[in-house]
Amino acid sequence: MLKALFIDLSGVLYIGKQIIPGAVAAIAKARENQLQLRFVTNTARNTRAQILIDLNKLGFSVSEQELFTAPIAAHAWLKEKKLHPYCLIHPNIKSEFSDLVQSNPNAVIIGDAEQDFCYDKLNRAFQLCQQGAPLLGIGYNRFFKLDGQLLLDAGPFIKAIEFAASTKAIILGKPSRDFFLQVLGSTNLQADQVLMIGDDIYGDIEGAINAGLHGCLVRTGKYQSGDENKISPSHQTADSIVEAVDYALSETRKI
Amino acid sequence: MLKALFIDLSGVLYIGKQIIPGAVAAIAKARENQLQLRFVTNTARNTRAQILIDLNKLGFSVSEQELFTAPIAAHAWLKEKKLHPYCLIHPNIKSEFSDLVQSNPNAVIIGDAEQDFCYDKLNRAFQLCQQGAPLLGIGYNRFFKLDGQLLLDAGPFIKAIEFAASTKAIILGKPSRDFFLQVLGSTNLQADQVLMIGDDIYGDIEGAINAGLHGCLVRTGKYQSGDENKISPSHQTADSIVEAVDYALSETRKI
């Protein structure tokens, strides 16, 4: 029986500044029906504080305890290991890493760095990894949608450095099993009591299923026709968050 | 019995403008002993004509018929298929593709584009591939050495676009089996009569072995300690091109 929803943000609740029709009401309906909610995002273009402000501006009342972001998970990992990261991340979130020593780096972290993905900075990341520095990825997403365009996310650049330096990245955020289990730990539930709702067949749905959760792919955001067939484990599909919440509620009423 | 040598250029005969000690004499010795020579390079920073001029300046007398470059192979492929490429290649070799229509591109070609590997141009390459354009790679090399530094080659960027667009690149140049067989076709020999000498364990040695040739890894250029153990098929190793040629000559005398 479903007792919680893990919900991706961009492409599921909104695209850019546009709310997905019915999303605010759907989230409210899920709350009214006692579903626990967690919002899980690999977004690495905004700080956690800014994401909360934006969500509330859009009409979603989300508390700090309900929001899990990949950059925060990555920061915690680096801090625990006392590593000095070379940060290939978006200027907007550099402040979230500013408490870490970044001179003489001995680790590399790659997020959605946008224009910072240039030859010189990618070479620096590669050279450090080639010398043995661990490679961290903020998510492993292939692309995202912005202003109607598909744009490269961090995943392909992580893949590039992995290949060049013959290494394997540690992924913080979706689709990492550890990340899903960390979010699950904030509930008192079993994995199979949770439905992950997302628009990324790999990062959201396949990742959640690998962690033991259920998955529901929505046909909004970056969804492209045929995405549902790209993975073999069984999962739900829904036209949007509205239909996904209705499905979840129908499941909670089954027993 | 070995009857021909396929020889990689950068890292094997020279590094930058520095000749590998003994390389000129080693090549001359191979010629005197009737070994057929082919020079095979993925270098995508110079036109074929410029490479010939540079080789001859360094003291290696190499004829046009002996030199096989990946960009020329890629150009021939695009021309045969009548495709309009979006070229992510080095400014130095753009002239080699200038006879191809490049407006409204329906193919993507990625070489060692250096500073052209930037977020906007990589996005364009990705978007075209996402829409179904074939992806061509000039080689699949992971990195190369320049002025003492290891720098990213085309391979990692090809890998990035393959991952983002869920596609598989067609590789022109090493380690493509077709490329080795094309060079082999210019001799009258069987694959097992040829030794490939290179400093790239994957691109040169593994690629050659997959095409049925023998391989000899030299410990110059981009070679890093332990590289010989990165692939399973058996191959020779040599301190440099000098020792590699001596090994080849000893093999030609065996029968």
Side-chain angles (χ1 to χ4, degrees):
Chain A
M1 196 166 93
L2 291 178
K3 297 208 164 179
L5 303 181
F6 289 5
I7 302 167
D8 178 37
L9 297 181
S10 174
V12 175
L13 297 185
Y14 54 81
I15 300 174
K17 291 183 195 299
Q18 289 292 313
I19 296 178
I20 300 282
V24 172
I27 297 302
K29 190 171 170 185
R31 281 197 198 283
E32 283 158 22
N33 284 276
Q34 322 301 332
L35 283 170
Q36 285 194 58
L37 302 183
R38 295 293 180 272
F39 299 85
V40 289
T41 180
N42 281 354
T43 295
R45 290 200 171 198
N46 281 308
T47 59
R48 190 153 168 262
Q50 189 60 49
I51 293 170
L52 279 171
I53 291 168
D54 291 346
L55 279 170
N56 283 283
K57 259 189 206 162
L58 288 171
F60 302 100
S61 59
V62 172
S63 72
E64 210 180 320
Q65 291 70 30
E66 290 174 325
L67 177 62
F68 290 80
T69 78
I72 292 291
H75 175 271
W77 195 92
L78 288 164
K79 193 154 182 145
E80 189 202 316
K81 302 259 188 293
K82 296 188 172 59
L83 288 166
H84 304 176
Y86 177 69
C87 294
L88 256 180
I89 57 177
H90 199 278
N92 287 353
I93 64 160
K94 287 191 176 165
S95 62
E96 282 189 327
F97 291 81
S98 59
D99 63 323
L100 301 174
V101 177
Q102 294 181 31
S103 53
N104 298 318
N106 56 8
V108 170
I109 178 161
I110 297 184
D112 165 21
E114 205 188 22
Q115 299 299 333
D116 269 10
F117 285 132
C118 64
Y119 191 57
D120 294 341
K121 291 184 179 176
L122 287 165
N123 271 323
R124 177 92 168 105
F126 156 62
Q127 289 159 0
L128 286 163
C129 291
Q130 183 74 4
Q131 289 157 23
L135 174 63
L136 257 75
I138 300 182
Y140 206 50
N141 297 62
R142 296 171 194 227
F143 55 83
F144 60 96
K145 197 170 190 173
L146 190 69
D147 301 332
Q149 274 205 318
L150 296 185
L151 298 175
L152 291 165
D153 209 321
F157 296 96
I158 297 166
K159 198 87 179 171
I161 303 302
E162 285 183 311
F163 180 60
S166 301
T167 188
K168 190 90 196 124
I170 299 148
I171 303 299
L172 283 299
K174 301 175 284 183
S176 151
R177 197 168 170 274
D178 286 349
F179 183 68
F180 283 109
L181 296 185
Q182 184 199 339
V183 184
L184 184 68
S186 77
T187 68
N188 287 319
L189 301 175
Q190 302 298 313
D192 66 356
Q193 296 176 302
V194 178
L195 179 70
M196 171 76 213
I197 302 172
D199 65 337
D200 188 315
I201 187 67
Y202 301 111
D204 295 325
I205 308 306
E206 189 176 42
I209 292 171
N210 286 341
L213 286 65
H214 301 282
C216 180
L217 180 72
V218 291
R219 285 182 283 270
T220 53
K222 78 174 84 168
Y223 169 83
Q224 308 243 297
S225 173
D227 277 357
E228 49 273 81
N229 305 320
K230 286 184 175 162
I231 64 169
S232 45
S234 93
H235 57 277
Q236 293 296 318
T237 58
D239 279 344
S240 76
I241 180 72
V242 177
E243 198 180 300
V245 167
D246 284 344
Y247 161 74
L249 291 175
S250 74
E251 286 294 301
T252 63
R253 292 183 190 119
K254 273 201 177 156
I255 301 176
Chain B
M1 196 165 90
L2 291 179
K3 296 209 164 177
L5 302 182
F6 288 3
I7 303 167
D8 178 38
L9 298 180
S10 174
V12 175
L13 297 185
Y14 54 80
I15 300 174
K17 290 181 194 303
Q18 290 291 312
I19 296 178
I20 301 283
V24 172
I27 296 302
K29 190 171 170 184
R31 280 196 197 282
E32 283 157 22
N33 284 275
Q34 322 301 332
L35 282 171
Q36 285 193 57
L37 302 183
R38 295 294 180 273
F39 299 86
V40 290
T41 179
N42 282 354
T43 296
R45 289 198 171 200
N46 281 310
T47 59
R48 192 154 169 260
Q50 189 60 50
I51 293 170
L52 279 172
I53 292 168
D54 292 345
L55 278 172
N56 284 281
K57 259 189 206 161
L58 289 171
F60 301 100
S61 59
V62 172
S63 72
E64 209 180 317
Q65 292 71 31
E66 290 174 327
L67 177 62
F68 290 80
T69 78
I72 292 292
H75 175 272
W77 194 93
L78 288 164
K79 192 153 182 147
E80 189 203 317
K81 301 262 190 290
K82 296 189 172 61
L83 289 166
H84 304 178
Y86 177 69
C87 294
L88 255 180
I89 57 177
H90 199 278
N92 288 354
I93 64 160
K94 287 191 175 164
S95 62
E96 281 187 328
F97 292 82
S98 60
D99 63 322
L100 301 174
V101 177
Q102 294 181 30
S103 53
N104 298 318
N106 56 9
V108 170
I109 177 161
I110 297 185
D112 164 21
E114 204 189 21
Q115 299 299 334
D116 270 10
F117 286 133
C118 64
Y119 191 58
D120 293 341
K121 290 183 179 178
L122 287 165
N123 271 324
R124 177 91 168 107
F126 156 62
Q127 289 158 359
L128 286 163
C129 291
Q130 183 74 4
Q131 288 156 23
L135 174 63
L136 258 74
I138 300 182
Y140 206 50
N141 298 63
R142 296 170 194 228
F143 55 83
F144 61 97
K145 198 170 189 172
L146 190 69
D147 302 331
Q149 275 206 318
L150 296 184
L151 298 175
L152 291 166
D153 208 323
F157 296 96
I158 297 166
K159 198 88 177 172
I161 302 301
E162 285 182 311
F163 180 59
S166 301
T167 187
K168 190 91 195 119
I170 299 149
I171 302 299
L172 282 300
K174 302 174 286 182
S176 150
R177 195 168 171 272
D178 286 348
F179 183 68
F180 282 109
L181 295 184
Q182 183 200 341
V183 183
L184 185 68
S186 76
T187 69
N188 287 317
L189 301 175
Q190 301 298 313
D192 67 356
Q193 296 176 301
V194 178
L195 179 70
M196 171 75 214
I197 302 172
D199 65 337
D200 188 314
I201 187 67
Y202 301 112
D204 295 325
I205 308 306
E206 189 174 44
I209 291 171
N210 286 341
L213 285 66
H214 302 283
C216 180
L217 180 72
V218 291
R219 285 183 283 270
T220 54
K222 79 175 81 168
Y223 169 83
Q224 308 245 297
S225 175
D227 276 356
E228 49 274 80
N229 306 320
K230 286 183 177 163
I231 64 169
S232 45
S234 95
H235 57 277
Q236 293 297 316
T237 58
D239 279 345
S240 76
I241 180 73
V242 177
E243 197 180 300
V245 167
D246 285 345
Y247 161 75
L249 291 175
S250 75
E251 286 294 300
T252 62
R253 292 183 191 118
K254 271 201 179 155
I255 301 175

